[in-house]
Amino acid sequence: MGGTVLTRNSDKDSAYDFARRCAHGYTWGQTPLIISYCVGISDVIATINFVRNNSLNLAVRSGGHSSIGACSGSYYTVVLDVSNMKNMVFNEDRTQVTAGAGVTFGQLATQIEYLNETEHRELHCVTGGCDTVSISGFTMGGGYGITAREFGMGCDQVLEMTIVLADGSVRTVKKGDELFWALMGGTGGNFGVVTEFKLKVHQGMRKVTYFSLNYPISMTSKLFPTYQEKYCTNEKPKELSTYCMWFYLQRHEWSGLCISLRGLFHGTKEEARELVQDLVVEYEEEGIKFPIAEFTEGNYREMNKGIENDTYSGMDEYPDGEWKKCRIYKDDLCSKDIDTIVHAVRNMPVFAQMVNIVYCEPYGQTINSVSRDETAFVHRDSKFDLVVDSMYYSNNPHYPDSDKQAFKWMIDFFDALPGDNATAQYQNYPDPSPDAEKTYAQAYFAENYSRLQQVKAEVDPDLMFTMKQMIHPPSTSQQLRRGD
């Protein structure tokens, strides 16, 4: 092994305790037997062979951002960590990048910024919003990013992957290979350990504008119908991507629960202002002029960070725990549903007023130009993903049982919204609900699940790669219908 190996009973207790933590320090209460930090493909093969020969469990970890702790591992688990596999090579004409499985959004964006500045280029790769998320789990779970309406989902950027299978063999897979298809949305940790990705690099990413239009939450009923009708479809250009968010805004002009329409436009701020004019409702309340607006031009990474810059601005202490749940909609929400969202946000637990976020991620345009079965990411005919981030403080005595309160509020939020015509869920935001084990296959994969099961049976017949909400082989679950 070229990388570090830590064991539960080693002398390096402090190093082990740190290593067992996932993103933001979450442990999920897990104490895996071994944590194997792989620095190359030979380390991955050695770890897989060790696990197989000793009949242990295996969990694969890259950025550690699984919201159900799928990458943390149980007592008899070996965690195979690829976060140190950070090779990054761009081809000569900068149309492709080959990146190790441990490369994060922040590292990829930094390198692209460097090339843009030193070579006077306008390069772009599709990423999510958090710098510490790895390209691996993001890509294999579909990969929603703020520029996906223009360039496609993260999985649509993949040209080639290198993967180590359960028997220790190495394969390079491309379009046309069933395993490649399965990895394009079938989620990580199911079929093997991907060690390297070859990704598209887009040209001509000129000025990017970050914008936000912020109003008191009482304006939701007036603004949201326009948002879901025009901003989650093909009516607005693919270069425009707009989130609708509800959270506690804290600005020097005004503080309070808000509805915020914010996003990125691939173009100038003058063009952006014109495009979002139908979301501008000018009025004055108690001496405050609304909307509280911002339009700023800059490079992609700087502007992408703007989306979250003031969503947590009111916190004295960052939460050390997070629940996450979502629901994907094909159809518009009715006025009653919109009122339900507002009521839930107004009635979140007191400790969560400053930290919780409810938001919509818009689909449409290039995302929806791909058929449901072209990749394993099936949600190609959807309008938006409604997401709840419900935070808590597990170690703060001022907020006893905040984890239970946060979880209950999140579950109650979705229980109050009719879900008959919206049963789909984005697999990169896995559902922590108690009944999710019965519903996740249909919710994440719908009619693509049976095809994923066949691939699972072929490449991992002995089920080395097992985890919460895994792909089961055909013998263990039934074929699913076409989903909503």
Side-chain angles (χ1 to χ4, degrees):
M1 283 287 296
T4 301
V5 177
L6 299 173
T7 63
R8 186 168 56 233
N9 299 317
S10 70
D11 294 331
K12 305 174 182 178
D13 287 339
S14 60
Y16 169 83
D17 186 61
F18 178 82
R20 74 189 180 94
R21 298 177 183 275
C22 296
H24 307 307
Y26 304 162
T27 67
W28 303 100
Q30 304 287 14
T31 54
L33 179 65
I34 295 171
I35 301 168
S36 176
Y37 284 98
C38 299
V39 296
I41 198 166
S42 60
D43 286 355
V44 175
I45 295 170
T47 302
I48 286 176
N49 288 341
F50 176 83
V51 170
R52 186 181 63 252
N53 295 337
N54 289 276
S55 301
L56 297 169
N57 299 322
L58 181 68
V60 185
R61 185 174 72 188
S62 49
H65 279 261
S66 169
S67 57
I68 58 170
C71 57
S72 57
S74 57
Y75 196 77
Y76 294 105
T77 294
V78 175
V79 173
L80 191 159
D81 188 294
V82 297
S83 61
N84 291 328
M85 300 179 69
K86 295 186 180 297
N87 57 295
M88 204 184 322
V89 179
F90 290 76
N91 67 347
E92 189 173 349
D93 63 0
R94 310 308 194 213
T95 58
Q96 301 173 9
V97 59
T98 300
V103 171
T104 64
F105 296 158
Q107 291 158 351
L108 180 58
T110 297
Q111 187 60 31
I112 288 177
E113 279 182 32
Y114 173 78
L115 292 175
N116 285 343
E117 291 174 7
T118 59
E119 299 181 1
H120 307 290
R121 294 179 180 270
E122 298 175 334
L123 308 177
H124 176 70
C125 283
V126 174
T127 69
C130 177
D131 271 359
T132 61
V133 171
S134 162
I135 62 173
S136 297
F138 169 79
T139 302
M140 289 185 282
Y144 181 88
I146 189 66
T147 59
R149 276 173 54 87
E150 181 172 4
F151 299 110
M153 297 291 290
C155 65
D156 300 333
Q157 315 307 311
V158 183
L159 301 168
E160 184 177 293
M161 284 177 270
T162 301
I163 184 170
V164 182
L165 300 177
D167 61 3
S169 64
V170 181
R171 282 175 62 178
T172 298
V173 293
K174 302 179 181 181
K175 188 173 183 178
D177 188 309
E178 275 294 280
L179 179 54
F180 181 85
W181 175 88
L183 292 167
M184 304 265 279
T187 69
N190 265 304
F191 306 102
V193 180
V194 174
T195 59
E196 198 170 72
F197 297 82
K198 184 179 288 185
L199 304 170
K200 298 175 187 176
V201 179
H202 298 279
Q203 314 293 311
M205 188 66 162
R206 53 190 173 87
K207 281 286 186 185
V208 176
T209 297
Y210 161 73
F211 63 91
S212 67
L213 300 168
N214 303 290
Y215 300 87
I217 195 172
S218 57
M219 288 292 289
T220 297
S221 60
K222 187 172 185 64
L223 294 165
F224 191 77
T226 300
Y227 171 78
Q228 64 180 348
E229 177 187 347
K230 296 183 178 181
Y231 289 77
C232 303
T233 63
N234 291 352
E235 183 160 337
K236 295 293 181 177
K238 64 183 181 180
E239 293 84 4
L240 179 70
S241 189
T242 309
Y243 288 162
C244 181
M245 308 176 78
W246 296 268
F247 62 95
Y248 191 93
L249 179 70
Q250 187 159 324
R251 293 277 190 94
H252 68 274
E253 309 101 309
W254 177 81
S255 296
L257 289 174
C258 76
I259 175 173
S260 179
L261 295 310
R262 57 179 58 195
L264 297 185
F265 173 63
H266 180 184
T268 67
K269 59 184 179 182
E270 290 76 20
E271 293 170 314
R273 284 182 188 275
E274 183 65 27
L275 281 169
V276 302
Q277 195 58 39
D278 51 6
L279 291 177
V280 175
V281 180
E282 295 180 337
Y283 70 101
E284 187 169 327
E285 185 176 289
E286 297 182 356
I288 307 297
K289 292 182 178 180
F290 292 101
I292 299 172
E294 179 180 350
F295 290 82
T296 307
E297 288 183 14
N299 65 47
Y300 165 74
R301 188 183 184 191
E302 292 171 345
M303 298 301 98
N304 194 23
K305 286 182 177 179
I307 294 170
E308 292 188 0
N309 270 352
D310 57 9
T311 53
Y312 300 112
S313 60
M315 291 189 299
D316 296 323
E317 174 189 355
Y318 194 87
D320 60 357
E322 174 189 14
W323 298 113
K324 199 180 194 89
K325 184 176 170 67
C326 72
R327 184 181 291 165
I328 293 177
Y329 286 85
K330 285 184 180 182
D331 301 316
D332 289 347
L333 296 178
C334 66
S335 59
K336 182 179 178 181
D337 295 337
I338 297 170
D339 290 343
T340 298
I341 293 173
V342 172
H343 177 78
V345 174
R346 289 186 186 277
N347 289 278
M348 68 178 74
V350 173
F351 72 85
Q353 287 277 338
M354 297 287 194
V355 298
N356 281 8
I357 306 174
V358 178
Y359 57 100
C360 288
E361 296 176 329
Y363 282 46
Q365 291 291 2
T366 306
I367 298 172
N368 293 24
S369 68
V370 178
S371 66
R372 286 174 64 91
D373 62 355
E374 188 170 329
T375 67
F377 183 78
V378 75
H379 313 298
R380 300 290 189 165
D381 48 359
S382 303
K383 294 194 72 170
F384 59 85
D385 188 10
L386 179 63
V387 190
V388 169
D389 277 348
S390 188
M391 313 288 193
Y392 60 89
Y393 300 88
S394 61
N395 297 311
N396 190 322
H398 296 293
Y399 306 118
D401 297 322
S402 67
D403 57 336
K404 297 182 179 65
Q405 293 179 56
F407 187 82
K408 182 179 186 303
W409 177 79
M410 178 187 68
I411 297 300
D412 290 347
F413 178 98
F414 283 101
D415 283 350
L417 285 171
D420 296 340
N421 64 340
T423 58
Q425 294 174 286
Y426 176 34
Q427 51 265 48
N428 264 353
Y429 303 155
D431 189 350
S433 307
D435 59 353
E437 292 301 314
K438 301 175 183 177
T439 60
Y440 74 87
Q442 176 69 40
Y444 302 163
F445 310 114
E447 71 272 14
N448 285 348
Y449 188 63
S450 58
R451 189 172 168 187
L452 288 166
Q453 290 180 290
Q454 294 297 330
V455 177
K456 177 71 172 178
E458 177 191 340
V459 300
D460 187 21
D462 298 323
L463 299 185
M464 171 178 284
F465 295 98
T466 59
M467 61 177 182
K468 296 177 183 177
Q469 303 184 10
M470 62 178 278
I471 304 291
H472 290 273
S475 59
T476 60
S477 60
Q478 55 187 311
Q479 180 175 330
L480 297 176
R481 68 188 185 280
R482 180 179 174 86
D484 291 323

